[in-house]
Amino acid sequence: MVAVTDGTAPVRRAPLIAGNWKMNLDHQQAIAFVQKLHWALRDAKHDKGSVEIAVFPPFTDLRTVQTLIDADKIPFELGAQDLSAHDSGAYTGEVSGAFLAKLACRYVIIGHSERRQYHHETDEVVAAKVRAALRHGLVPVICVGETSEDLEKFGASAVPVGQLQTALDGVPAGADIVVAYEPVWAIGSGQAATPQQAQDVCAKLRDVVAEKLGGDAADRTRVLYGGSVKSSNIASFMREPDVDGALVGGASLVVDEFAAIIRYQKHVGV
Ligand code: PEP
C-alpha cells in the first residue's frame, strides 16, 4: 500500500493484517496462540503502530480472547467470522451483531466464500448482514471473489465487482467498512494471485466503493487481498497501491508465520 491523495493532502490507510482462524483452535488453544503471537511480536520489537492486527476466532473463543486482550493489553483487534442478519429472536443457532458488539468485537467477516458455498449465502443475504453489522457499530469485512469457473467465463473482476455492488446496497456514505478480495481459487490452494492481479481487482473494488459511497469513502476504505498469503509473498502484495492489507487463513494459525506476515515491513523492506 502507498499514500493516496484526496486532492488536498495525502491520505494514508493503516495496513490491516487479519487472521481468519476458521473452525480451528478451541478457547484454551486460543489463549496459548494469542499469548505466543503477542510474545513473538514483542520479542521482535514489532512497532505496534505500524500495522493493525485483527484475529477472528470461532464464536466460542470470543469471550476468552476478549478477556485476554483486555487483561494483558494486547494490541490486537477482535473480530467474528459471521453474524446474523437479524438482531434478535427465533433464529436458532444464529449470533446477533449486538452480542458481538458486547464482546468488544470491532470487525466481522461477511460473505466469506465458505459461507457462500456451504451455507448458500447469496449477495442479498451478504448485503443484509452488512447492514446488520453497521447497525451494531461493527466494521464489516466484506469478502468477494471469483471462482475459477467465473475467472474463465467472465475474467477476474466482474463477479467480485457485482458482489460488492450488491453488498453495499443501503450502506450510508460515512460507513466504516473493509473489503477483502479473495479469489476462491486462491483460498487454501497454495496458488496465490499475482500482485498485479490483486492490484487490478482491488482498484476496481475501490471504484465500486467510490461509486456507491463516494470518493472520500473510497480513499479511506481498506481493501485487503486474501488467498494463500504467506510471509514469502505478503510484501509483494503490500507494494501495490490499492492493496491495504491481507486476510490470512491457514498461515494465521502458525505463530511464527503469522508474526512474519505482520512484520512484512521489516523482513522485506517495504
Ligand atoms: C481465507 O480463508 O480467508 C483465506 C485467505 O485462506 P488461506 O490464507 O488459507 O488461503
Side-chain angles (χ1 to χ4, degrees), residues 1 12-17 49-52 220 222 224 238 244-245 264:
M1 72 161 300
R12 190 169 273 280
R13 296 181 290 268
L16 171 61
I17 301 293
S50 61
V51 177
E52 187 181 351
R220 209 178 48 236
R222 270 95 50 94
L224 314 183
M238 296 305 286
D244 304 312
Y264 72 93

Side-chain angles (χ1 to χ4, degrees), residues 20 22 112 114 182 186-188 226-229 247-250:
N20 173 15
K22 311 194 187 195
H112 190 281
E114 288 150 16
E182 297 209 304
I187 295 178
S228 297
V229 168
L247 183 54
V248 185

